Amino acid sequence: MTPPLPRHSRITGTGSFLPPNRVSNAQLAASLGADGIETSDAWIVERTGIRFRHFAEATVTCSDLGVEAARRALAAADCDPQAIDLIIVATSTPDMVFPSAACMVQEKLGVHGCAAFDVQAVCSGFVYALSVADSMIKTGLASKALVIGSEVFSRILDFKDRTTCVLFGDGAGAVVLEASDTPGILATELHADGRHVGILCVPGTVSGGKVLGDPLLKMDGPAVFKLAVSVLDSVARSVLAKADRSEADVDWLIPHQANIRIMQSTAKKLKLAPEKLIATVDRHGNTSAASIPLALDEAVREGRIKRGDTVMLEGVGGGFTWGAALFDL
């Protein structure tokens, strides 16, 4: 009896969605500075590379953004929503405590019965979700998956803290991942280190109908920067080794869009030419779990990333979590 062929997963379509409210640094800076410290476009750009971000309207939820990105990915893949048998949403800002944003996306797509759940790894969430979906497809638990990163970080920002509120934005990105006889996802790797919980967190929760603790984002920027640069380099090299590839094989690097200096440092350590770095942080800000699929979709639709290209994804997030994925489109 002939053994079955190995089962792989491939990205067959990408999609993204940004809420229409585009906020410039100047607009944001006008509402800051009450503490006597000047916040300007130049101050923000110099430290982060960010010029704009998008904020969702008060009535727009994580699942609303996610379903729009999903519809565009499904259209790009020429995939009937009813064929989807797995939905994973990576988010830290779901619509409610439960049920999951994935179940809400499922309902809005009119899909019923398939597995649907959220993954919470903050800014590493999309890489985590993609790795889980890849594993489920390879083991036969799914054949056509929607993997979505969707965030409304504007809901958890402290607009009195200029060191954090200027960094983040809202948006969603998605991919359709399908079973294939030929390799697409070549390797993934995931890590976490709970010793660093305090450097990036929202230290609040809901109990007895009240918010306990602080429901707004807190970050130790220098500590995050130092750790991010170190772990992104090591996890990228590990994934390349797993896939039996080298830095020279990477056509495009799509890091989590947090800070242009972190992104450029990562590319430099991997000896990648600057033009191989996909950067959208200047226009989107840090959209957490949505940032990687947003950047991927933009590059695909612009024709920069093409079929057959090898792409490295990597992200770091609160937890502290980090991970990377290497794939052939």
Side-chain angles (χ1 to χ4, degrees):
M1 185 175 179
T2 304
L5 292 172
R7 187 177 169 97
H8 306 280
S9 73
R10 296 190 71 90
I11 293 174
T12 57
T14 67
S16 62
F17 182 75
L18 290 161
N21 181 25
R22 188 176 188 238
V23 180
S24 70
N25 286 344
Q27 289 173 284
L28 195 56
S31 65
L32 301 172
D35 56 3
I37 301 173
E38 181 185 357
T39 303
S40 65
D41 173 70
W43 185 88
I44 297 169
V45 172
E46 179 185 354
R47 287 159 178 77
T48 68
I50 298 168
R51 297 181 182 274
F52 299 92
R53 76 284 295 145
H54 292 250
F55 287 160
E57 296 298 323
T59 57
V60 174
T61 65
C62 167
S63 66
D64 289 333
L65 299 179
V67 77
E68 291 301 325
R71 286 174 176 143
R72 296 176 186 193
L74 287 163
D78 193 23
C79 179
D80 184 343
Q82 301 304 320
I84 294 295
D85 55 11
L86 173 65
I87 300 173
I88 306 178
V89 174
T91 187
S92 299
T93 53
D95 299 25
M96 57 181 70
V97 173
F98 69 83
S100 67
C103 285
M104 295 179 181
V105 168
Q106 185 189 53
E107 190 275 331
K108 290 171 183 177
L109 286 175
V111 179
H112 309 289
C114 73
F117 56 90
D118 289 355
V119 167
Q120 215 283 42
V122 200
C123 303
S124 305
F126 183 77
V127 174
Y128 266 62
L130 187 70
S131 182
V132 171
D134 172 56
S135 297
M136 291 181 70
I137 288 175
K138 284 177 176 175
T139 56
L141 292 175
S143 293
K144 293 179 185 286
L146 260 176
V147 185
I148 303 166
S150 184
E151 301 282 16
V152 281
F153 254 57
S154 59
R155 308 284 160 80
I156 57 172
L157 298 179
D158 180 355
F159 286 97
K160 296 179 182 178
D161 178 7
R162 71 173 187 159
T163 65
T164 57
C165 73
V166 301
L167 303 178
F168 296 90
D170 304 337
V175 301
V176 175
L177 194 66
E178 299 190 33
S180 172
D181 292 336
T182 57
I185 306 295
L186 303 174
T188 66
E189 186 162 329
L190 308 176
H191 294 278
D193 189 341
R195 292 176 297 177
H196 303 289
V197 162
I199 67 174
L200 178 55
C201 60
V202 177
T205 188
V206 177
S207 177
K210 298 179 180 179
V211 175
L212 299 184
D214 192 333
L216 301 178
L217 184 145
K218 309 297 177 188
M219 183 174 71
D220 180 343
V224 170
F225 187 100
K226 182 178 179 180
L227 191 57
V229 171
S230 172
V231 299
L232 286 174
D233 179 54
S234 62
V235 78
R237 295 183 187 283
S238 180
V239 163
L240 285 169
K242 276 186 176 181
D244 196 24
R245 299 285 182 96
S246 71
E247 297 98 322
D249 295 316
V250 177
D251 295 305
W252 302 99
L253 173 66
I254 307 181
H256 166 51
Q257 308 285 310
N259 181 302
I260 192 63
R261 291 184 297 159
I262 296 175
M263 296 159 61
Q264 290 171 340
S265 176
T266 302
K268 187 175 181 180
K269 283 177 176 287
L270 290 173
K271 298 182 175 61
L272 297 179
E275 58 269 20
K276 290 188 174 186
L277 174 67
I278 301 294
T280 60
V281 67
D282 58 321
R283 286 159 287 123
H284 300 167
N286 181 348
T287 55
S288 191
S291 74
I292 289 174
L294 268 167
L296 171 63
D297 181 56
E298 181 176 291
V300 168
R301 290 177 186 270
E302 289 178 348
R304 284 187 286 167
I305 297 180
K306 301 178 178 66
R307 281 289 167 198
D309 285 354
T310 299
V311 183
M312 170 79 76
L313 311 178
E314 53 180 7
V316 295
F320 200 78
T321 65
W322 65 97
L326 188 73
F327 68 88
D328 288 337
L329 189 63

